[in-house]
Structures are given as C-alpha cells and as structure tokens.
Amino acid sequence: MDKETLKLIDEVIEKYDLKGEISGVEICLNGHINDTYHVKLDEGNERDVEYIFQRINGTVFEDPIKIMDNLKEITAHLDSKGLCSDCEILTFLDNKDGENYSFHGGNLWRVSYFVENSVAYEVADDLKILKSAGYAFGRFQHQLADFPMEKLHETIPDFHNTKKRLEHFFAMVEKDPLDRVKDIKEDIEFFREYRDLASKLTDMQEAGELPLRVVHNDTKYNNILMDKNTNEPLCVIDLDTVMPGLSAHDLGDAIRFAANTAVEDERDLSKVALDMEKYEAFTEGFIGAAKDFLTKAELETMALGAITITIELASRFLGDHINGDKYFRVLRENHNLDRARCQIRLAQDMLKKYEEMKKIVKKYS
Ligand code: GN1
Ligand code: MG
C-alpha cells in the first residue's frame, strides 16, 4: 500500500471511535468506481478486527451524502419490518459526530465491519450459489416493494434510462474527442442496429406499462456476501444506486454478469456466451423470491431486461473508451474497449437465445 493512502486511512480512523494500530491493508480491485480497502486493526485482542474502508468516487456521485441518506432510510424500513438475520444489508459505523460517513481529503469515506465468515464470489460455477444470489436480489426487491419511493434521492439521475444512455453514447461518437472512433466503426454499428429494441423498456415505463420499483441497480453477484460454508446469502452490499427503476433491470444486470461464460472484460470473444444453465439457476432464484408482487408485463419483459442492460453497459464502456476512460477505472490499455466488445458479444448471443430465455422465465413465473 502506498504511504499516502495509508496516511489517509489513518486519518479517517481518527474520526471514529476506533482504537489500535493498522496491522494490514489490502486494496480490493473488484469495483470500477469507488476505492475499497480491507483494513485490519490490532486493538490489543487476540485477533485483529477487520474493517472495510471505502472512498466514494466524487465525480461519479456528485452528492454522495444522498447515498448515505438513502441507506439510512432503507435500513430503517427493513428494521421496522423486523427482518430476520439472513436478510441484512450492509450498514456503516457512525463516526464521532454520529454520522455514517466522514469527509476527508475532499471525499466521502465510510467504514463498516468486515462481515465474518463471508465471501463475495468473483466467479461462481456452482448453480446453487447462483440460485442463492438470484434469490437474495429478488428478495431485496420484495422487501422494499412497500417502501415509499419518493423518500429516495436519485444518486445518479437516469441511471438505467437506456434511451438516454444511447443518446449520450451517439453524442460522444459525434464528439470523438480522441479520434478513437475510426477504429471502432463496426462496434458502433451494433448500437445503431439495436437502439430501438434496447429503448423498449424505457418506452414502456414512460407509457405506464411497467411500474417503477425500488431496485438495487448493480446486481453483480459479488454484491451479495455469502456464507463461506453454506453459500447462503448473508448480506446485500453496494447500495449506492438503489433508486426507483425497473425490476427487469436487476435480474437483467445480474444475468449479464452471472451467466456469461467468460469474465466481464474477456478479450478472447470465442469464450463469451450466455450459459443457459446459469441463466436458469439465477432466474429461478430471483423469480421465486419476487414473483408474488410482479405484474404480468414485468414478468414478460424479464428476458428483455438482460438484453437491454447488456447493450446499455456495452454502450457505457464504449462511450467511456471514446471519451478517454474517465468513468470506469481501467487496469490496462483499451480496457473499456475490451469490456464493451465482450458485452456486445454477450448481447448478440442473448439475442440468439431470446425465445429460450423467455420460456425459462415463464417456467418459474
Ligand atoms: C460499476 O463499480 P462497480 O463495479 O460496483 C457501475 C455499474 C456497472 C458495473 C460493471 C455507479 O459498478 O453500473 O454495471 O461497474 N456502477 C456505476 O461492472 O456506474
Ligand atoms: Mg457498484
């Protein structure tokens, strides 16, 4: 860990009632936006106490206090329903001023305990794990189905407004600030071809055919902490983008991540496809937990949700590549281009399997 970060973490610790010395810090590289550190403190006991420290990206989240306010509201709602211990969402420690966040060095920091015995899978092939993650996200929506939506701040306006996302994408193609467009003409063509289909859910929502729900909006299964031993879901994390949205976006984004036969940034596109077994396991878990409150139209558009979010994210990655990688953290040259191409290939495979995908949703509805 670089000295500067260590110093920052040390200074953040000062803002909390935490005693003891840092005995270890590791950076967690799984997110693309915020900076996350696994910190161990020697508090004089036999075992060090483990914490997660997070610095929120202030460019992406212009007003990060909104995130923490949303979190408070949601936690209070779930607490008031007296939920069982297996349905937790991650909460953050209060600092000496009684706030669940601290400003330091111009950024919002937050601190939580590391959840004991938990694991966040980056890759999961076990269908039971996928079903379990699907269930956790479906249940999350279910538990918030009666939450008064107007209480939530929009932490990123139009986050999954695919129609607007594509408008911004094509505007970026026009702007082409780094002259990168000439090398990616074929990739851009894909978005022209599927623009209408990808905008359909936004249109339906605007026409009142699909209801808004309180949704998680970032349903990669590494946002569910699972019990290391039993693989039961322990805790839903990364609630930064919990906002009113479409139920199908949550299942869709989850499928995009969970049922890809390859990783999100795979360069060998021959490895990228939709794994129908994984798709089915995740869908079974999610629909099983959510079907009671979903409308017929919502259930019928679940499969389109996966295609929509995959195309949308592909356009976000490619737009960021064109713009010089200002939004998503990149770890190698052309990283966002690789990510975009992988998502395009995955969406193409989903388009081929669309009918089969719909049938599976129906089977569990
Ligand atoms: C970002 O940082 P992370 O991994 O939690 C992004 C999501 C994308 C995801 C793709 C606020 O999430 O929308 O689906 O990358 N979050 C934001 O891996 O833009
Ligand atoms: Mg996230």
Side-chain angles (χ1 to χ4, degrees):
M1 188 60 47
D2 60 286
K3 278 205 179 112
E4 208 178 311
T5 311
L6 266 180
K7 186 167 166 275
L8 274 173
I9 292 175
D10 230 0
E11 288 161 356
V12 172
I13 290 176
E14 286 297 308
K15 296 180 183 275
Y16 290 81
D17 242 337
L18 298 174
K19 297 158 207 80
E21 294 283 310
I22 296 179
S23 55
V25 180
E26 269 171 49
I27 185 160
C28 311
L29 280 175
N30 44 9
H32 301 338
I33 309 284
N34 299 325
D35 299 311
T36 307
Y37 304 93
H38 187 163
V39 177
K40 290 184 186 162
L41 292 189
D42 178 354
E43 299 181 355
N45 304 316
E46 206 172 302
R47 275 180 57 201
D48 293 348
V49 185
E50 298 179 47
Y51 298 89
I52 295 293
F53 280 57
Q54 243 185 351
R55 174 170 46 201
I56 302 299
N57 180 323
T59 314
V60 168
F61 295 100
E62 283 177 8
D63 188 357
I65 294 178
K66 286 183 176 168
I67 299 177
M68 304 312 286
D69 280 348
N70 283 354
L71 203 68
K72 263 192 234 161
E73 290 290 349
I74 291 169
T75 312
H77 180 79
L78 296 180
D79 281 351
S80 74
K81 295 172 87 165
L83 289 170
C84 45
S85 59
D86 71 335
C87 325
E88 278 171 22
I89 62 173
L90 194 67
T91 50
F92 294 90
L93 306 187
D94 280 346
N95 66 10
K96 288 175 182 164
D97 299 328
E99 297 287 3
N100 63 353
Y101 59 84
S102 302
F103 271 98
H104 189 62
N107 288 96
L108 186 146
W109 287 80
R110 60 191 183 188
V111 179
S112 63
Y113 285 110
F114 177 81
V115 178
E116 290 266 325
N117 262 322
S118 72
V119 52
Y121 289 104
E122 288 307 315
V123 181
D125 289 320
D126 183 341
L127 297 182
K128 273 201 300 220
I129 295 179
L130 296 176
K131 189 175 158 190
S132 182
Y135 179 80
F137 280 126
R139 190 185 53 190
F140 179 79
Q141 276 193 10
H142 200 168
Q143 285 169 345
L144 291 169
D146 61 346
F147 180 84
M149 232 180 270
E150 61 285 356
K151 280 195 179 169
L152 287 179
H153 301 288
E154 243 190 318
T155 55
I156 302 181
D158 293 318
F159 189 58
H160 283 319
N161 183 327
T162 312
K163 221 165 137 176
K164 283 211 180 142
R165 289 279 187 191
L166 288 170
E167 275 163 26
H168 291 153
F169 169 74
F170 284 111
M172 189 53 77
V173 171
E174 279 300 306
K175 200 168 155 204
D176 192 15
L178 299 168
D179 200 23
R180 286 183 164 177
V181 164
K182 61 181 186 323
D183 302 321
I184 53 170
K185 288 253 153 70
E186 214 179 294
D187 305 287
I188 294 168
E189 215 27 59
F190 172 79
F191 298 100
R192 283 194 222 290
E193 195 176 339
Y194 290 103
R195 189 173 185 170
D196 287 348
L197 181 73
S199 303
K200 193 173 161 194
L201 290 184
T202 311
D203 287 337
M204 287 179 77
Q205 190 273 312
E206 283 169 359
E209 293 162 33
L210 290 172
L212 287 173
R213 306 271 182 202
V214 177
V215 295
H216 183 283
N217 272 330
D218 190 5
T219 48
K220 297 191 277 195
Y221 56 62
N222 55 14
N223 280 333
I224 304 282
L225 302 182
M226 307 258 186
D227 185 305
K228 233 192 225 162
N229 305 311
T230 64
N231 287 326
E232 293 295 324
L234 284 179
C235 192
V236 181
I237 61 169
D238 191 357
L239 302 167
D240 304 345
T241 48
V242 172
M243 279 181 275
L246 298 182
S247 178
H249 288 157
D250 270 5
L251 178 57
D253 195 27
I255 292 300
R256 173 194 75 69
F257 187 77
N260 186 348
T261 49
V263 286
E264 191 180 82
D265 55 358
E266 177 59 57
R267 269 185 281 203
D268 178 354
L269 296 183
S270 69
K271 289 187 183 160
V272 179
L274 181 74
D275 180 322
M276 289 311 284
E277 276 194 340
K278 289 184 174 179
Y279 172 82
E280 177 155 0
F282 205 99
T283 301
E284 182 184 357
F286 184 91
I287 303 276
K291 68 175 175 205
D292 289 355
F293 72 89
L294 296 173
T295 65
K296 191 162 166 273
E298 283 179 294
L299 286 165
E300 282 168 3
T301 48
M302 281 294 161
L304 183 56
I307 295 174
T308 304
I309 288 291
T310 308
I311 296 176
E312 181 190 286
L313 186 62
S315 79
R316 294 172 62 197
F317 283 147
L318 198 61
D320 199 32
H321 171 73
I322 297 172
N323 196 31
D325 309 307
K326 296 206 165 69
Y327 188 98
F328 296 103
R329 178 178 15 246
V330 287
L331 303 172
R332 60 180 193 239
E333 205 185 332
N334 288 336
H335 204 169
N336 277 318
L337 177 60
D338 294 341
R339 288 171 177 148
R341 286 188 168 151
C342 175
Q343 298 305 304
I344 291 174
R345 174 58 72 93
L346 178 62
Q348 285 166 332
D349 196 51
M350 286 177 177
L351 287 159
K352 283 188 206 141
K353 295 172 177 162
Y354 189 22
E355 289 310 314
E356 212 184 321
M357 288 167 76
K358 283 197 263 189
K359 264 191 213 142
I360 290 173
V361 173
K362 207 161 176 195
K363 178 170 161 191
Y364 294 104
S365 296

